[in-house]
Amino acid sequence: MSLVHQIEGAVKKGYPDSEIVAAVIKAVTPGLQLRSYLEGREELELKVLRRLLRAHFQERGATELYQELCGMAQGPKESPQTFLLRALALRQKVLFACKECDVKYDKSLVESMFAHSVSTGLLDSDIRGEMRPLLLQDKLLDEELLERMNKIVSRETDRKKKTQTKSHLVAPVEASRAKAVEEKDKKGAGGSLYDEVQSLKDQINEIHQALTSNTQPRPPRYRRRGCTMCQKNGDEESCHHCYKCGKSGHFARGCRQSENGQGSLLRGEEKPTNM
C-alpha cells in the first residue's frame, strides 16, 4: 500500500510516468519474483503497474472495503478514540481504492456512510449522542474530530467516576436506614409480643444445648445365663434347663409353659441363645 501511495505522490508532483515506473521497480526488494516479473515487462504503463501491485499485495477492492465500513462497530476492549481512528483509516482506504478500481463510490456517499457507522457503532450512548451532530458537519477536519472525541471521552469518564463514588457512599447509608425501618416496623406491629417470642427462642436454644451436652448413652442390659434355680445355686454356666420353666429336654423358645412358672427373672427381655 505504501508503494501505491508513493506513486500517487509522484503523480501529483508531476514526475513522468516512465520515471515513476522505474523508481517503483527499484523499490521492490531484489530477489522477489515480483521484481523479476516487472523488470521483464516491456513498456510497462503506470496504470498497469498500480493494478499489479494491488493484486500482488492482495489489497481489497472498493466494494469489499465499503461493505466493511457499513458494518463497523466498536469492539468490547476498544476505546472510542481507537475506534474513530480505525473508521477514519478505513474511509481513506475506500476513497483511495475507488481511484484504482473500476467500481466508483461518490465521496459524499462514503463520507455519509462513515458518519453513520461511527455514530451507530460507538458503545457508550452518551458519547454517541454528543458525537452525532459533530459527524454531520461537512467542514469539520479529521484532527478536530479527534480532539472533540478526546474531550467528550474525558468528560464522560470523570462523570462516571463521580457517579460511582457517590453510589458507594450512599449504598451503606441506605442499607442501614432500611434495616432500622424494618426493625421499627417489627416492633411496632408486634410490640411486646415480638420481644416475648425472641425471649422464648433464646430459652429453647438454651434448653436444647443443655440436653445435648448432658445426655449420656444408657448402658446395655444383659440377661444372666441359666434358669432361675441354677442362678440361685450359682450353676448358671453349666445350666442345661429351660430358662423359662426350669425343666430339661427343651429350650426357652420351644417352652409351652406360661410366664407364671419358674421362668426368667427378667420378663419381656431378649431370649437366650442356643447352647
Side-chain angles (χ1 to χ4, degrees), residues 16-260:
D17 290 356
S18 58
E19 293 184 7
I20 297 175
V21 171
V24 170
I25 293 176
K26 290 181 179 180
V28 178
T29 304
L32 292 180
Q33 293 295 332
L34 175 63
R35 179 161 179 171
S36 301
Y37 171 76
L38 293 177
E39 289 176 344
R41 284 286 298 260
E42 296 181 358
E43 298 180 357
L44 182 61
E45 297 181 359
L46 182 60
K47 183 179 180 180
V48 177
L49 176 61
R50 296 171 74 160
R51 293 184 61 182
L52 289 172
L53 290 175
R54 291 187 62 85
H56 174 75
F57 292 109
Q58 299 180 359
E59 291 291 336
R60 291 178 294 173
T63 302
E64 188 177 356
L65 293 171
Y66 183 78
Q67 290 177 353
E68 183 181 351
L69 180 64
C70 295
M72 282 198 70
Q74 181 183 352
K77 297 182 179 180
E78 188 179 29
S79 65
Q81 296 95 324
T82 305
F83 169 65
L84 178 59
L85 279 172
R86 185 162 61 90
L88 288 169
L90 185 57
R91 181 198 64 183
Q92 293 305 116
K93 287 183 179 180
V94 174
L95 294 174
F96 186 79
C98 289
K99 299 178 182 180
E100 303 293 324
C101 303
D102 296 334
V103 179
K104 305 293 183 181
Y105 289 98
D106 187 67
K107 184 177 180 181
S108 60
L109 177 63
V110 176
E111 294 287 351
S112 176
M113 181 53 63
F114 162 77
H116 174 75
S117 297
V118 173
S119 62
T120 57
L122 288 166
L123 294 177
D124 193 287
S125 59
D126 296 325
I127 297 177
R128 189 165 60 241
E130 293 193 45
M131 286 295 297
R132 185 174 287 112
L134 299 176
L135 292 167
L136 297 177
Q137 297 180 16
D138 297 333
K139 297 182 180 181
L140 192 65
L141 301 177
D142 293 347
E143 54 269 24
E144 294 177 346
L145 191 62
L146 287 169
E147 291 175 355
R148 296 287 187 90
M149 171 68 84
N150 289 332
K151 292 180 180 180
I152 293 172
V153 172
S154 178
R155 185 168 59 250
E156 286 298 318
T157 303
D158 293 340
R159 185 184 65 81
K160 289 181 179 180
K161 286 182 179 178
K162 292 178 181 179
T163 304
Q164 291 176 356
T165 303
K166 184 178 179 181
S167 62
H168 288 319
L169 294 174
V170 172
V173 176
E174 293 294 334
S176 178
R177 185 180 300 173
K179 185 175 181 180
V181 172
E182 183 180 357
E183 293 293 336
K184 185 178 179 181
D185 293 341
K186 287 181 179 179
K187 292 183 178 180
S192 59
L193 179 60
Y194 176 78
D195 297 333
E196 291 179 2
V197 171
Q198 290 296 119
S199 178
L200 286 174
K201 287 183 178 180
D202 295 338
Q203 293 177 14
I204 292 173
N205 290 333
E206 292 177 0
I207 294 172
H208 177 71
Q209 293 178 0
L211 290 175
T212 54
S213 61
N214 296 329
T215 302
Q216 298 180 355
R218 296 177 61 185
R221 300 177 64 185
Y222 298 97
R223 189 189 187 285
R224 293 178 61 186
R225 290 177 57 85
C227 64
T228 305
M229 189 62 67
C230 291
Q231 290 175 4
K232 289 180 179 181
N233 297 332
D235 298 330
E236 58 266 25
E237 292 297 330
S238 61
C239 178
H240 297 288
H241 304 126
C242 173
Y243 290 178
K244 190 173 182 181
C245 66
K247 296 180 181 181
S248 302
H250 64 274
F251 294 104
R253 68 170 179 267
C255 184
R256 298 182 180 181
Q257 186 170 327
S258 64
E259 295 290 339
N260 295 329

